[in-house]
């Protein structure tokens, strides 16, 4: 059975309970994120879910820095295992964010976007800071007296 904003689905064959699945974006704290019963219409748990999705989004972006963090001189097989492990965790986080956004809750969507934006900002500010430090630490950049 379907209405304009959602679709009723039976929870199991033997149960008469149904779960309303949103099929369009909506705003509200009544949402299921990743696990049934979470955050369960509790405003505090909804805020926690928002921060959790924000953290996951930021972590995904920041983990892109870790892929290149294998030290020179590391055995190639060990370096490959480290990079593969980081990639696996990053993809796990990415799929969790994707599933969270599929709840069609606007708050969760904004938290995911904000998390990705914050993570990207942290990466870029670190890269620019490092680049600036390298420019001013080279002997060619010593200002001459006039």
């Amino acid at each position: 059975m379907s209405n304009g904003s959602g679709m009723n689905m039976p929870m199991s064959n033997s149960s008469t309970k149904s779960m309303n699945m949103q099929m369009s974006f909506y705003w509200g704290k009544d949402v299921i994120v990743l696990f049934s019963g979470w955050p369960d219409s509790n405003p505090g748990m909804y805020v926690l879910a928002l921060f959790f999705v924000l953290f996951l989004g930021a972590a995904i972006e920041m983990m892109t820095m870790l892929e290149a963090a294998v030290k020179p001189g590391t055995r190639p097989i060990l370096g490959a295992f480290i990079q593969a492990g980081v990639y696996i965790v990053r993809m796990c986080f990415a799929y969790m964010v994707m599933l969270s956004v599929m709840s069609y809750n606007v708050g969760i969507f904004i938290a995911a976007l904000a998390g990705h934006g914050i993570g990207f900002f942290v990466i870029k500010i670190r890269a620019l800071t490092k680049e600036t430090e390298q420019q001013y630490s080279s002997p060619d950049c010593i200002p001459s007296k006039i």
Side-chain angles (χ1 to χ4, degrees), residues 29-49 108:
K29 65 178 176 36
D30 298 329
V31 63
I32 296 175
V33 179
L34 297 176
F35 309 103
S36 65
W38 189 66
D40 198 29
S41 301
N42 183 337
M45 294 303 285
Y46 178 68
V47 171
L48 179 65
I108 297 293

Side-chain angles (χ1 to χ4, degrees), residues 38-144:
W38 189 66
D40 198 29
S41 301
N42 183 337
M45 294 303 285
Y46 178 68
V47 171
L48 179 65
L50 292 175
F51 280 112
F52 180 70
V53 171
L54 186 131
F55 166 77
L56 286 176
I60 291 165
E61 296 297 328
M62 287 190 253
M63 289 179 82
T64 59
M65 290 188 325
L66 296 176
E67 289 181 354
V70 177
K71 295 181 181 179
T74 304
R75 293 188 319 194
I77 190 77
L78 181 60
F81 274 122
I82 291 170
Q83 287 181 340
V86 169
Y87 182 78
I88 289 168
V89 172
R90 197 177 98 204
M91 287 297 102
C92 177
F93 286 0
Y95 278 111
M96 289 174 73
V97 169
M98 179 197 65
L99 290 171
S100 299
V101 169
M102 286 176 63
S103 71
Y104 291 105
N105 183 276
V106 175
I108 297 293
F109 181 68
I110 291 171
L113 292 177
H116 282 289
I118 290 167
F120 185 80
F121 178 78
V122 168
I123 290 170
K124 290 302 173 185
I125 199 74
R126 262 189 76 175
L128 290 173
T129 303
K130 190 180 285 187
E131 184 179 304
T132 305
E133 288 173 356
Q134 289 175 351
Q135 283 179 346
Y136 289 119
S137 66
S138 68
D140 297 337
C141 289
I142 299 173
S144 60

